[in-house]
Amino acid sequence: MSRTSQPSPSLRADQSDGAAEADIRPLMSAFPSGVSVITTIGTDSEPRGMTCSSLASVALSPPTIVLCLRTQSPTVRAVLETGQVAVNLLHENARPVSDLFASGAADRFARTEWRLPLGAGGPHLAAAAHAVADGEVVEAVEFGDHTAVFVRVTRVSLHDGQEPLLYGKRRYARWTDATAVPGPPAAAPPLPAIPAPSSASAAPSVTSTSSTVSVTSAPSAPSAASPAPAVKETARVRP
């Protein structure tokens, strides 16, 4: 006997009927990742590049990663034609470069620094990347509107002192900010000091003038019957 599980009432279906496609963009936007720019040199010797956040490792041996790229992109066509690619992982200050290569601007390589080292799979964005992987395409699988490109990595270049740029929930974040350790809570301000009573206040006070001396006695200890009032004595002194 088979049993069909029922969806949890706390989960909300994204489609109104079985024929509608679920929109997975909210799901994937809730999965933050790094940001990369995929580059290559086309068969016309022109550089190609696009922003990509869909990247994952496949195997350590042979060292293989997979890139999920929009099939209709000119960059994807150039990558599949040449079989060569460079993956530029952007550092946390390179958000403008990410936006530039996501825009599809025709002059994007004229507006950012890049170089093509010997044996590179594509342009290295020297001023924007904290790590670059060069590789060769070993397989490509088209599925829906994207193509999964499997790349065997042949070389990795790391740039010390730079941290990754992050993207999730449709906004960017800096690795330094996301991993900052909060400091200790601020100390409470000290309470104001209460001055101790002066020993002189308990002694009788004497005010003298040329003709009158006023003496105020310190209050005596109260008796068990009733408290004794303070006594003020005034004596007139002849000059």
Side-chain angles (χ1 to χ4, degrees), residues 2-238:
S2 62
R3 182 179 64 178
T4 303
S5 60
Q6 297 297 321
S8 169
S10 63
L11 298 179
R12 182 179 52 138
D14 285 333
Q15 68 259 30
S16 57
D17 55 68
E21 290 186 341
D23 184 0
I24 66 171
R25 288 174 296 181
L27 171 69
M28 299 314 301
S29 71
F31 186 69
S33 67
V35 183
S36 67
V37 171
I38 309 304
T39 59
T40 191
I41 299 294
T43 55
D44 56 359
S45 299
E46 292 295 325
R48 300 280 190 276
M50 63 181 296
T51 300
C52 170
S53 59
S54 298
L55 181 157
S57 62
V58 175
L60 297 179
S61 180
T64 307
I65 61 176
V66 62
L67 314 173
C68 295
L69 308 174
R70 185 170 52 85
T71 301
Q72 297 303 316
S73 168
T75 299
V76 177
R77 292 197 296 270
V79 167
L80 297 180
E81 288 171 357
T82 64
Q84 302 291 320
V85 66
V87 180
N88 296 267
L89 302 185
L90 301 186
H91 61 65
E92 61 184 4
N93 296 316
R95 174 179 174 175
V97 175
S98 174
D99 290 337
L100 175 63
F101 279 83
S103 71
D107 61 343
R108 52 191 178 273
F109 280 97
R111 294 164 56 185
T112 189
E113 180 182 345
W114 63 280
R115 57 190 179 88
L116 191 65
L118 183 65
H124 287 197
L125 307 183
H130 69 90
V132 182
D134 294 298
E136 303 170 345
V137 176
V138 294
E139 189 174 350
V141 178
E142 185 176 338
F143 190 91
D145 55 3
H146 275 60
T147 298
V149 181
F150 293 83
V151 177
R152 181 179 182 274
V153 176
T154 58
R155 180 173 64 184
V156 174
S157 304
L158 301 177
H159 298 223
D160 294 333
Q162 298 286 0
E163 301 292 354
L165 178 66
L166 305 177
Y167 187 76
K169 303 293 286 186
R170 297 185 175 89
R171 59 181 181 267
Y172 291 97
R174 292 162 47 90
W175 177 270
T176 300
D177 298 334
T179 60
V181 178
L191 295 175
I194 301 176
S198 172
S199 59
S201 63
S205 60
V206 179
T207 304
S208 174
T209 63
S210 61
S211 60
T212 304
V213 176
S214 176
V215 179
T216 302
S217 300
S220 59
S223 65
S226 61
V231 179
K232 182 175 182 182
E233 299 179 355
T234 303
R236 180 171 295 279
V237 180
R238 293 184 178 181

